[in-house]
Coordinates of all heavy atoms in Angstrom, one line a residue:
M1 N 0.8 -1.2 0.0 CA 0.0 0.0 0.0 C 0.9 1.2 0.0 O 1.9 1.3 0.7 CB -0.9 0.0 1.2 CG -1.8 1.2 1.3 SD -2.7 1.2 2.9 CE -4.3 1.0 2.3
H2 N 0.5 2.2 -0.8 CA 1.3 3.5 -0.9 C 0.6 4.5 0.0 O -0.6 4.6 0.0 CB 1.3 4.0 -2.3 CG 2.1 3.1 -3.2 ND1 3.4 3.0 -3.3 CD2 1.6 2.2 -4.2 CE1 3.8 2.1 -4.2 NE2 2.7 1.6 -4.7
E3 N 1.4 5.3 0.7 CA 0.9 6.4 1.5 C 1.2 7.7 0.7 O 2.3 7.9 0.1 CB 1.6 6.5 2.8 CG 1.1 5.4 3.8 CD 1.6 5.6 5.2 OE1 1.9 6.8 5.5 OE2 1.7 4.7 5.9
I4 N 0.2 8.5 0.6 CA 0.3 9.8 -0.1 C 0.4 10.9 1.0 O -0.5 11.0 1.8 CB -0.9 10.1 -1.0 CG1 -1.0 8.9 -2.0 CG2 -0.7 11.4 -1.7 CD1 -2.2 9.0 -2.9
A5 N 1.5 11.6 1.0 CA 1.7 12.7 1.9 C 0.8 13.9 1.5 O 0.9 14.3 0.3 CB 3.2 13.1 2.0
M6 N 0.0 14.4 2.4 CA -0.9 15.5 2.1 C -0.2 16.8 2.6 O 0.2 16.8 3.8 CB -2.2 15.3 2.7 CG -3.0 14.1 2.3 SD -3.6 14.2 0.6 CE -4.9 15.4 0.8
A7 N -0.2 17.8 1.8 CA 0.4 19.1 2.3 C -0.6 19.7 3.3 O -1.8 19.6 3.1 CB 0.6 20.0 1.1
E8 N 0.0 20.2 4.3 CA -0.8 20.9 5.4 C -0.6 22.4 5.3 O 0.5 22.9 5.0 CB -0.4 20.4 6.8 CG -1.1 19.2 7.2 CD -0.8 19.0 8.7 OE1 -0.8 19.9 9.5 OE2 -0.6 17.8 9.0
R9 N -1.7 23.1 5.4 CA -1.7 24.6 5.4 C -1.8 25.1 6.8 O -2.6 24.7 7.6 CB -2.8 25.1 4.6 CG -2.6 25.1 3.1 CD -3.7 25.9 2.5 NE -3.6 25.7 1.0 CZ -4.4 26.4 0.2 NH1 -5.3 27.2 0.6 NH2 -4.2 26.2 -1.1
T10 N -1.0 26.2 7.1 CA -1.0 26.9 8.3 C -1.2 28.4 8.0 O -0.4 28.9 7.3 CB 0.2 26.7 9.1 OG1 0.4 25.3 9.3 CG2 0.1 27.4 10.5
A11 N -2.2 29.0 8.6 CA -2.4 30.5 8.3 C -1.3 31.2 9.1 O -1.0 31.0 10.2 CB -3.8 30.9 8.9
L12 N -0.7 32.2 8.3 CA 0.4 33.0 8.9 C -0.1 34.4 9.3 O 0.3 34.9 10.4 CB 1.6 33.1 7.9 CG 2.2 31.8 7.5 CD1 3.3 32.0 6.5 CD2 2.8 31.0 8.7
C13 N -0.8 35.0 8.4 CA -1.3 36.3 8.7 C -2.3 36.8 7.6 O -2.4 36.1 6.6 CB -0.2 37.4 8.8 SG 0.6 37.8 7.3
Q14 N -3.0 37.9 7.9 CA -3.8 38.5 6.8 C -2.9 39.2 5.9 O -1.9 39.9 6.3 CB -4.9 39.4 7.4 CG -5.9 38.6 8.2 CD -7.0 39.5 8.7 OE1 -6.8 40.6 9.2 NE2 -8.3 39.1 8.6
V15 N -3.3 39.2 4.6 CA -2.4 39.9 3.6 C -2.2 41.4 4.0 O -1.1 41.9 3.9 CB -3.1 39.8 2.2 CG1 -2.5 40.8 1.2 CG2 -3.1 38.4 1.7
D16 N -3.2 42.1 4.5 CA -3.1 43.5 4.7 C -2.4 43.9 6.0 O -2.3 45.0 6.4 CB -4.4 44.2 4.5 CG -5.5 43.7 5.5 OD1 -5.1 42.8 6.4 OD2 -6.6 44.1 5.4
T17 N -2.0 42.9 6.8 CA -1.3 43.2 8.1 C 0.2 43.4 7.9 O 0.9 43.8 8.8 CB -1.5 42.1 9.1 OG1 -1.1 40.9 8.7 CG2 -3.0 42.1 9.5
L18 N 0.7 43.0 6.7 CA 2.2 43.1 6.4 C 2.3 44.0 5.2 O 2.1 43.6 4.1 CB 2.8 41.7 6.2 CG 4.3 41.6 6.4 CD1 4.7 41.9 7.8 CD2 4.7 40.2 6.0
E19 N 2.8 45.2 5.4 CA 3.0 46.2 4.3 C 4.2 45.8 3.4 O 5.1 45.1 3.9 CB 3.2 47.6 4.9 CG 2.1 48.1 5.7 CD 0.9 48.4 4.8 OE1 1.1 48.9 3.7 OE2 -0.3 48.2 5.3
P20 N 4.2 46.2 2.2 CA 5.4 46.0 1.3 C 6.6 46.5 2.0 O 6.7 47.6 2.6 CB 5.0 46.8 0.1 CG 3.6 46.8 0.0 CD 3.1 46.9 1.5
G21 N 7.7 45.7 2.0 CA 8.9 46.0 2.6 C 9.0 45.6 4.1 O 10.1 45.7 4.7
E22 N 7.9 45.1 4.6 CA 8.0 44.6 6.0 C 8.2 43.1 6.1 O 7.9 42.4 5.1 CB 6.6 44.9 6.7 CG 6.4 46.4 7.0 CD 5.1 46.7 7.8 OE1 4.3 45.8 7.9 OE2 5.0 47.8 8.4
M23 N 8.7 42.7 7.2 CA 8.9 41.3 7.5 C 8.7 40.9 8.9 O 8.7 41.8 9.8 CB 10.4 40.9 7.1 CG 11.5 41.7 7.8 SD 13.1 41.2 7.1 CE 14.1 42.4 8.0
V24 N 8.3 39.7 9.1 CA 8.0 39.2 10.5 C 8.4 37.8 10.7 O 8.3 37.0 9.8 CB 6.5 39.4 10.8 CG1 5.6 38.5 9.9 CG2 6.2 39.2 12.2
R25 N 8.9 37.5 11.9 CA 9.2 36.1 12.3 C 7.9 35.4 12.6 O 7.1 35.9 13.3 CB 10.1 36.1 13.5 CG 10.6 34.8 14.0 CD 11.5 35.0 15.2 NE 11.8 33.8 16.0 CZ 13.0 33.2 16.0 NH1 14.0 33.7 15.3 NH2 13.2 32.1 16.7
V26 N 7.7 34.2 12.1 CA 6.5 33.4 12.4 C 6.9 32.0 12.8 O 7.9 31.5 12.4 CB 5.6 33.4 11.1 CG1 5.0 34.7 10.8 CG2 6.3 32.8 9.9
E27 N 6.0 31.5 13.7 CA 6.2 30.1 14.2 C 5.2 29.2 13.6 O 4.0 29.5 13.6 CB 6.1 30.2 15.8 CG 7.0 31.2 16.5 CD 8.4 30.7 16.6 OE1 8.6 29.5 16.5 OE2 9.3 31.5 16.9
V28 N 5.6 28.1 13.1 CA 4.8 27.0 12.6 C 5.2 25.7 13.4 O 6.4 25.4 13.4 CB 4.9 26.8 11.1 CG1 4.1 25.6 10.6 CG2 4.5 28.1 10.4
A29 N 4.2 25.1 13.9 CA 4.5 23.8 14.7 C 5.3 22.8 13.8 O 5.0 22.6 12.7 CB 3.2 23.2 15.1
G30 N 6.4 22.3 14.4 CA 7.2 21.3 13.7 C 8.2 21.9 12.8 O 8.9 21.1 12.1
E31 N 8.2 23.2 12.7 CA 9.2 23.8 11.8 C 10.2 24.7 12.5 O 9.8 25.2 13.6 CB 8.5 24.7 10.7 CG 7.5 24.0 9.8 CD 8.2 23.1 8.8 OE1 9.4 23.5 8.4 OE2 7.6 22.1 8.4
D32 N 11.4 25.0 12.0 CA 12.2 26.0 12.5 C 11.5 27.3 12.3 O 10.6 27.5 11.5 CB 13.6 26.0 11.8 CG 14.4 24.7 12.1 OD1 14.2 24.2 13.2 OD2 15.2 24.3 11.2
P33 N 11.9 28.4 13.1 CA 11.3 29.7 12.9 C 11.4 30.2 11.5 O 12.4 29.9 10.8 CB 12.1 30.6 13.9 CG 12.7 29.7 14.9 CD 12.9 28.4 14.1
L34 N 10.4 30.8 11.0 CA 10.3 31.2 9.6 C 10.3 32.8 9.5 O 9.8 33.4 10.5 CB 9.1 30.6 8.9 CG 9.1 29.1 8.9 CD1 7.7 28.6 8.3 CD2 10.2 28.5 8.1
L35 N 10.6 33.3 8.4 CA 10.6 34.7 8.1 C 9.7 35.0 7.0 O 10.0 34.5 5.8 CB 12.0 35.2 7.9 CG 12.1 36.7 7.6 CD1 11.7 37.5 8.8 CD2 13.6 37.0 7.1
L36 N 8.6 35.7 7.2 CA 7.7 36.1 6.2 C 7.9 37.5 5.8 O 8.0 38.4 6.6 CB 6.2 35.9 6.7 CG 5.1 36.3 5.7 CD1 5.1 35.3 4.5 CD2 3.8 36.3 6.4
I37 N 8.1 37.7 4.4 CA 8.4 39.0 3.9 C 7.4 39.4 2.9 O 7.1 38.6 2.0 CB 9.8 39.0 3.3 CG1 10.9 38.6 4.3 CG2 10.2 40.3 2.6 CD1 12.3 38.3 3.6
N38 N 7.0 40.7 2.9 CA 6.2 41.2 1.8 C 7.1 41.9 0.9 O 7.6 43.0 1.2 CB 5.1 42.2 2.4 CG 4.2 42.7 1.2 OD1 4.6 42.7 0.1 ND2 3.0 43.1 1.6
D39 N 7.4 41.3 -0.2 CA 8.4 41.8 -1.2 C 7.6 42.5 -2.3 O 7.3 41.9 -3.3 CB 9.3 40.6 -1.7 CG 10.2 41.1 -2.8 OD1 10.5 42.3 -2.9 OD2 10.7 40.2 -3.5
A40 N 7.3 43.8 -2.1 CA 6.5 44.6 -3.0 C 5.3 43.8 -3.5 O 5.0 43.8 -4.7 CB 7.4 45.0 -4.2
G41 N 4.6 43.2 -2.6 CA 3.3 42.5 -2.9 C 3.5 41.0 -3.1 O 2.5 40.3 -3.2
V42 N 4.7 40.5 -3.2 CA 5.0 39.1 -3.3 C 5.4 38.6 -1.9 O 6.4 39.1 -1.4 CB 6.1 38.8 -4.4 CG1 6.4 37.3 -4.4 CG2 5.6 39.3 -5.7
F43 N 4.7 37.6 -1.4 CA 5.0 37.1 -0.1 C 6.1 36.0 -0.3 O 5.9 35.1 -1.0 CB 3.8 36.6 0.6 CG 3.0 37.7 1.2 CD1 2.0 38.2 0.4 CD2 3.2 38.2 2.4 CE1 1.2 39.3 0.8 CE2 2.4 39.2 2.9 CZ 1.4 39.8 2.1
R44 N 7.2 36.2 0.5 CA 8.3 35.2 0.5 C 8.5 34.7 1.9 O 8.3 35.4 2.9 CB 9.6 35.9 0.0 CG 9.4 36.5 -1.4 CD 10.7 36.9 -2.0 NE 10.5 37.6 -3.2 CZ 10.3 37.1 -4.4 NH1 10.1 35.8 -4.5 NH2 10.1 37.8 -5.5
L45 N 8.8 33.4 2.0 CA 9.0 32.7 3.2 C 10.3 32.0 3.3 O 10.6 31.1 2.4 CB 7.8 31.8 3.5 CG 7.6 31.1 4.8 CD1 7.4 32.2 5.9 CD2 6.5 30.2 4.9
L46 N 11.1 32.3 4.2 CA 12.5 31.7 4.3 C 12.7 31.3 5.8 O 12.0 31.7 6.7 CB 13.6 32.7 3.9 CG 13.4 33.3 2.6 CD1 13.1 34.8 2.7 CD2 14.7 33.2 1.8
D47 N 13.8 30.5 6.0 CA 14.2 30.3 7.4 C 14.6 31.6 8.0 O 15.1 32.5 7.4 CB 15.4 29.4 7.4 CG 15.0 27.9 7.2 OD1 13.8 27.6 7.2 OD2 15.9 27.1 7.0
D48 N 14.2 31.8 9.3 CA 14.5 33.0 10.0 C 15.9 33.0 10.6 O 16.5 34.0 10.8 CB 13.5 33.3 11.1 CG 13.7 34.7 11.7 OD1 13.9 35.7 10.9 OD2 13.8 34.8 12.9
D49 N 16.4 31.8 10.9 CA 17.8 31.7 11.5 C 18.9 31.9 10.5 O 18.9 31.1 9.5 CB 17.9 30.4 12.3 CG 17.0 30.3 13.5 OD1 16.6 31.3 14.0 OD2 16.6 29.2 13.9
C50 N 19.8 32.8 10.7 CA 20.9 32.9 9.8 C 21.7 31.6 9.7 O 21.8 30.9 10.7 CB 21.8 34.0 10.4 SG 23.2 34.5 9.3
T51 N 22.3 31.3 8.6 CA 23.0 30.1 8.4 C 24.5 30.2 8.9 O 25.2 29.2 8.9 CB 23.0 29.7 6.9 OG1 23.6 30.8 6.1 CG2 21.6 29.4 6.4
H52 N 24.9 31.4 9.3 CA 26.2 31.6 9.7 C 26.4 31.3 11.2 O 27.3 30.5 11.6 CB 26.7 33.1 9.5 CG 28.1 33.4 10.0 ND1 28.3 34.3 11.0 CD2 29.3 32.8 9.8 CE1 29.6 34.3 11.3 NE2 30.2 33.4 10.6
A53 N 25.6 31.9 12.1 CA 25.6 31.7 13.5 C 24.2 31.8 14.0 O 23.3 31.6 13.3 CB 26.6 32.6 14.2
I54 N 24.1 32.3 15.3 CA 22.8 32.4 15.9 C 22.2 33.8 15.8 O 22.7 34.7 16.6 CB 22.8 31.9 17.3 CG1 23.2 30.4 17.3 CG2 21.4 32.0 18.0 CD1 23.5 29.8 18.7
A55 N 21.4 34.1 14.9 CA 20.7 35.4 14.8 C 19.4 35.2 14.1 O 19.2 34.4 13.2 CB 21.6 36.3 14.0
S56 N 18.5 36.1 14.5 CA 17.2 36.1 13.9 C 17.2 37.2 12.7 O 17.4 38.4 13.0 CB 16.1 36.5 14.9 OG 14.9 36.8 14.2
L57 N 17.0 36.7 11.5 CA 17.1 37.6 10.4 C 15.9 38.6 10.4 O 16.0 39.6 9.7 CB 17.1 36.8 9.1 CG 18.4 36.0 8.9 CD1 18.3 35.0 7.8 CD2 19.6 36.9 8.7
S58 N 14.9 38.3 11.1 CA 13.7 39.3 11.2 C 14.2 40.6 11.8 O 13.5 41.6 11.7 CB 12.6 38.7 12.0 OG 13.0 38.5 13.4
E59 N 15.3 40.6 12.5 CA 15.9 41.8 13.1 C 16.9 42.4 12.2 O 17.6 43.4 12.6 CB 16.5 41.4 14.5 CG 15.4 40.9 15.5 CD 16.1 40.4 16.8 OE1 17.3 40.5 17.0 OE2 15.3 39.7 17.5
G60 N 17.1 41.9 11.1 CA 18.0 42.5 10.1 C 17.4 43.6 9.3 O 16.4 44.1 9.6
R61 N 18.1 43.9 8.2 CA 17.7 45.0 7.3 C 17.4 44.5 5.9 O 18.1 43.7 5.4 CB 18.8 46.0 7.3 CG 18.4 47.4 6.8 CD 19.5 48.4 6.7 NE 20.4 48.1 5.6 CZ 21.7 47.9 5.8 NH1 22.2 48.1 6.9 NH2 22.4 47.6 4.7
L62 N 16.3 45.0 5.3 CA 15.9 44.6 4.0 C 16.1 45.8 3.1 O 15.6 46.9 3.3 CB 14.5 44.2 4.0 CG 13.9 43.6 2.8 CD1 14.6 42.3 2.5 CD2 12.4 43.3 3.1
D63 N 17.0 45.6 2.0 CA 17.2 46.6 1.0 C 16.8 46.0 -0.3 O 17.6 45.2 -0.9 CB 18.7 47.1 1.0 CG 19.0 47.9 2.2 OD1 18.3 48.8 2.5 OD2 20.1 47.6 2.8
G64 N 15.6 46.3 -0.8 CA 15.2 45.6 -2.1 C 15.1 44.1 -1.8 O 14.4 43.7 -0.9
N65 N 15.9 43.3 -2.6 CA 15.8 41.9 -2.5 C 16.9 41.3 -1.6 O 17.1 40.1 -1.5 CB 15.9 41.2 -3.8 CG 14.7 41.5 -4.7 OD1 13.6 41.3 -4.3 ND2 15.0 42.0 -5.9
I66 N 17.7 42.2 -1.0 CA 18.8 41.8 -0.1 C 18.5 41.9 1.3 O 18.1 43.0 1.8 CB 20.1 42.5 -0.5 CG1 20.4 42.3 -2.0 CG2 21.3 42.1 0.4 CD1 20.7 40.9 -2.4
L67 N 18.6 40.9 2.1 CA 18.4 40.8 3.5 C 19.7 40.7 4.2 O 20.5 39.7 4.0 CB 17.5 39.6 3.8 CG 17.3 39.3 5.3 CD1 16.5 40.4 6.0 CD2 16.5 38.0 5.4
S68 N 20.0 41.7 5.1 CA 21.3 41.6 5.8 C 21.1 41.2 7.3 O 20.1 41.6 7.9 CB 21.9 43.0 5.9 OG 22.2 43.5 4.5
C69 N 22.0 40.3 7.7 CA 21.9 39.8 9.1 C 22.3 40.9 10.1 O 23.3 41.6 9.9 CB 22.8 38.6 9.2 SG 22.9 37.9 10.8
P70 N 21.6 40.9 11.2 CA 21.9 42.0 12.2 C 23.2 41.7 13.0 O 23.7 42.6 13.6 CB 20.7 41.9 13.1 CG 20.2 40.5 13.1 CD 20.4 40.1 11.6
L71 N 23.7 40.5 12.9 CA 24.8 40.2 13.8 C 26.2 40.5 13.2 O 27.0 41.2 13.7 CB 24.8 38.7 14.2 CG 25.6 38.3 15.4 CD1 25.4 39.2 16.6 CD2 25.4 36.8 15.8
H72 N 26.4 39.9 12.0 CA 27.8 40.1 11.3 C 27.6 40.8 9.9 O 28.6 40.9 9.2 CB 28.5 38.8 11.2 CG 28.7 38.1 12.5 ND1 28.1 36.9 12.8 CD2 29.3 38.5 13.7 CE1 28.4 36.5 14.0 NE2 29.1 37.4 14.6
G73 N 26.4 41.0 9.5 CA 26.2 41.8 8.3 C 26.2 40.9 7.0 O 26.2 41.5 5.9
G74 N 26.3 39.6 7.1 CA 26.2 38.8 5.9 C 24.8 39.0 5.3 O 23.9 39.5 5.9
S75 N 24.7 38.6 4.0 CA 23.4 38.9 3.4 C 22.9 37.7 2.5 O 23.7 36.9 2.1 CB 23.5 40.2 2.6 OG 24.4 40.0 1.6
F76 N 21.6 37.8 2.2 CA 20.9 36.8 1.4 C 20.0 37.4 0.4 O 19.5 38.5 0.6 CB 20.1 35.9 2.3 CG 20.9 35.2 3.4 CD1 21.0 35.8 4.6 CD2 21.4 33.9 3.2 CE1 21.7 35.1 5.6 CE2 22.1 33.3 4.2 CZ 22.3 33.9 5.4
D77 N 19.8 36.7 -0.7 CA 18.8 37.1 -1.7 C 17.5 36.5 -1.3 O 17.4 35.3 -1.2 CB 19.2 36.7 -3.1 CG 18.3 37.2 -4.2 OD1 17.1 37.3 -4.0 OD2 18.8 37.5 -5.3
I78 N 16.5 37.3 -1.0 CA 15.2 36.8 -0.5 C 14.4 36.1 -1.6 O 13.5 35.3 -1.3 CB 14.3 37.9 0.2 CG1 13.9 39.0 -0.9 CG2 15.0 38.5 1.4 CD1 12.9 39.9 -0.4
R79 N 14.8 36.2 -2.8 CA 14.0 35.5 -3.9 C 14.5 34.1 -4.0 O 13.7 33.2 -4.4 CB 14.3 36.2 -5.3 CG 13.7 37.7 -5.3 CD 14.2 38.4 -6.5 NE 15.7 38.5 -6.4 CZ 16.4 39.2 -7.2 NH1 15.9 39.8 -8.3 NH2 17.7 39.3 -7.1
T80 N 15.7 33.8 -3.7 CA 16.3 32.5 -3.8 C 16.8 31.8 -2.5 O 17.0 30.6 -2.5 CB 17.5 32.5 -4.8 OG1 18.5 33.3 -4.2 CG2 17.0 33.0 -6.2
G81 N 17.0 32.7 -1.6 CA 17.6 32.2 -0.3 C 19.2 32.2 -0.4 O 19.8 31.9 0.6
K82 N 19.7 32.4 -1.6 CA 21.2 32.2 -1.7 C 22.0 33.3 -0.9 O 21.5 34.4 -0.8 CB 21.6 32.4 -3.2 CG 21.3 31.1 -4.0 CD 21.8 31.3 -5.4 CE 21.5 30.0 -6.2 NZ 21.5 30.1 -7.6
A83 N 23.1 32.8 -0.4 CA 24.0 33.8 0.3 C 24.6 34.7 -0.6 O 25.0 34.3 -1.7 CB 25.0 33.0 1.1
K84 N 24.6 36.0 -0.3 CA 25.2 37.0 -1.2 C 26.5 37.6 -0.7 O 27.2 38.2 -1.5 CB 24.1 38.1 -1.4 CG 22.9 37.7 -2.1 CD 23.1 37.2 -3.5 CE 23.4 38.3 -4.5 NZ 23.6 37.8 -5.9
S85 N 26.7 37.6 0.6 CA 28.0 38.2 1.1 C 28.4 37.5 2.3 O 27.6 37.0 3.1 CB 27.8 39.7 1.3 OG 26.9 40.0 2.3
L86 N 29.7 37.4 2.5 CA 30.3 36.8 3.7 C 30.0 37.6 4.9 O 29.7 38.8 4.9 CB 31.8 36.7 3.5 CG 32.3 35.9 2.3 CD1 33.8 36.1 2.1 CD2 32.0 34.4 2.6
P87 N 30.0 36.9 6.1 CA 30.4 35.5 6.3 C 29.4 34.4 5.9 O 29.7 33.2 6.2 CB 30.7 35.5 7.8 CG 29.7 36.4 8.4 CD 29.6 37.5 7.4
C88 N 28.2 34.8 5.4 CA 27.3 33.8 5.0 C 27.7 33.1 3.7 O 28.0 33.7 2.7 CB 25.9 34.4 4.8 SG 25.3 35.3 6.3
K89 N 27.6 31.7 3.8 CA 28.0 30.9 2.6 C 26.8 30.0 2.2 O 26.6 29.7 1.0 CB 29.2 30.1 2.9 CG 30.5 30.9 3.1 CD 31.6 30.0 3.4 CE 32.9 30.8 3.6 NZ 34.0 29.9 4.1
Q90 N 26.1 29.5 3.2 CA 25.1 28.5 3.0 C 23.7 29.3 2.8 O 23.4 30.2 3.5 CB 25.0 27.6 4.2 CG 24.0 26.5 4.1 CD 23.9 25.7 5.4 OE1 24.8 25.6 6.2 NE2 22.7 25.1 5.6
A91 N 23.0 28.8 1.8 CA 21.7 29.4 1.5 C 20.7 29.2 2.6 O 20.7 28.2 3.3 CB 21.2 28.8 0.2
L92 N 19.7 30.1 2.7 CA 18.5 29.9 3.5 C 17.6 29.0 2.8 O 17.5 29.1 1.5 CB 17.8 31.2 3.8 CG 18.6 32.2 4.6 CD1 17.8 33.6 4.5 CD2 18.7 31.8 6.1
R93 N 16.9 28.2 3.5 CA 15.8 27.4 2.8 C 14.6 28.3 2.5 O 14.3 29.2 3.4 CB 15.3 26.2 3.7 CG 16.4 25.2 3.9 CD 15.8 24.0 4.7 NE 15.2 24.5 6.0 CZ 14.2 23.9 6.6 NH1 13.7 22.7 6.1 NH2 13.7 24.4 7.7
T94 N 14.0 28.1 1.4 CA 12.8 28.9 1.1 C 11.6 27.9 1.2 O 11.8 26.7 1.1 CB 12.9 29.4 -0.4 OG1 13.0 28.3 -1.3 CG2 14.0 30.4 -0.5
H95 N 10.5 28.5 1.4 CA 9.3 27.7 1.7 C 8.1 28.2 0.9 O 8.0 29.3 0.5 CB 8.9 27.7 3.2 CG 10.0 27.3 4.1 ND1 10.2 26.0 4.4 CD2 11.0 28.0 4.7 CE1 11.3 25.9 5.2 NE2 11.8 27.1 5.4
K96 N 7.2 27.3 0.6 CA 6.0 27.6 -0.2 C 5.0 28.4 0.5 O 4.6 28.1 1.7 CB 5.4 26.3 -0.7 CG 4.3 26.5 -1.7 CD 3.8 25.2 -2.3 CE 2.7 25.4 -3.3 NZ 2.3 24.1 -3.9
V97 N 4.5 29.5 -0.1 CA 3.5 30.4 0.4 C 2.3 30.3 -0.5 O 2.4 30.4 -1.7 CB 4.1 31.8 0.5 CG1 3.0 32.8 1.0 CG2 5.3 31.9 1.4
I98 N 1.2 30.3 0.1 CA -0.1 30.4 -0.6 C -0.8 31.6 -0.2 O -0.9 31.8 1.1 CB -1.0 29.1 -0.3 CG1 -0.3 27.8 -0.6 CG2 -2.3 29.3 -1.1 CD1 -0.1 27.5 -2.0
V99 N -1.3 32.4 -1.1 CA -2.1 33.6 -0.7 C -3.5 33.3 -1.3 O -3.7 33.1 -2.5 CB -1.5 34.9 -1.3 CG1 -2.5 36.1 -1.0 CG2 -0.1 35.1 -0.8
E100 N -4.5 33.3 -0.4 CA -5.8 33.0 -0.8 C -6.8 33.6 0.1 O -6.7 33.6 1.4 CB -6.0 31.4 -0.7 CG -7.2 30.9 -1.4 CD -7.2 29.4 -1.4 OE1 -6.4 28.8 -2.2 OE2 -7.9 28.8 -0.6
S101 N -7.8 34.3 -0.5 CA -8.9 34.9 0.3 C -8.4 35.8 1.3 O -8.9 35.9 2.5 CB -9.8 33.8 0.9 OG -10.3 33.0 -0.1
G102 N -7.4 36.6 1.0 CA -6.9 37.6 1.9 C -6.0 37.1 3.0 O -5.6 37.8 3.9
M103 N -5.7 35.8 3.0 CA -4.8 35.2 4.0 C -3.5 34.7 3.4 O -3.5 34.3 2.2 CB -5.5 34.1 4.7 CG -6.7 34.5 5.6 SD -6.2 35.4 7.0 CE -5.2 34.2 8.0
V104 N -2.5 34.7 4.2 CA -1.2 34.1 3.7 C -1.0 32.8 4.5 O -1.1 32.8 5.7 CB 0.0 35.1 4.0 CG1 1.3 34.5 3.5 CG2 -0.3 36.4 3.4
Y105 N -0.7 31.7 3.8 CA -0.5 30.4 4.4 C 0.8 29.8 4.1 O 1.4 30.0 3.0 CB -1.6 29.4 3.8 CG -3.0 29.8 4.1 CD1 -3.7 30.5 3.2 CD2 -3.7 29.3 5.2 CE1 -5.1 30.9 3.4 CE2 -5.0 29.6 5.4 CZ -5.7 30.4 4.5 OH -7.0 30.7 4.8
F106 N 1.4 29.1 5.0 CA 2.5 28.2 4.8 C 1.9 26.9 4.4 O 1.0 26.4 5.0 CB 3.3 28.0 6.1 CG 4.2 26.9 6.2 CD1 5.5 27.0 5.6 CD2 3.9 25.7 6.8 CE1 6.4 25.9 5.6 CE2 4.8 24.6 6.8 CZ 6.0 24.7 6.2
E107 N 2.6 26.3 3.4 CA 2.1 24.9 3.0 C 3.3 24.0 3.0 O 4.3 24.2 2.3 CB 1.5 24.9 1.6 CG 0.9 23.6 1.3 CD 0.0 23.6 0.0 OE1 -1.2 23.9 0.1 OE2 0.6 23.4 -1.1
G108 N 3.3 23.0 3.9 CA 4.4 22.1 4.0 C 4.0 20.7 4.3 O 2.8 20.4 4.3
Ligands
FES1 FE1 24.4 36.1 10.5 FE2 26.8 36.0 11.4 S1 25.0 35.3 12.4 S2 26.2 36.8 9.5

């Protein structure tokens, strides 16, 4: 017998509670902390923990598509999760976001 894994949705926030250019750390049961970003109307979801050391990227700075870590200033491209500057080398994981009926959902 084959088991089919069903994707589960978790509501993260209402679309209009996160303005373009804003980001927030969100918690989803069973997941590492996540970072939800309103990228000029496109919602992006990445790991919130920096891949270099221990820092919450939600406390960092967003300049366009580049997210800088508050601790040592390494940076990531929020569209891909790829590390853009040292000391960060390892990419952030990106996650699937669904926007439906005015709500933003994590689907995993
Ligand atoms: Fe993020 Fe060092 S902890 S750059």
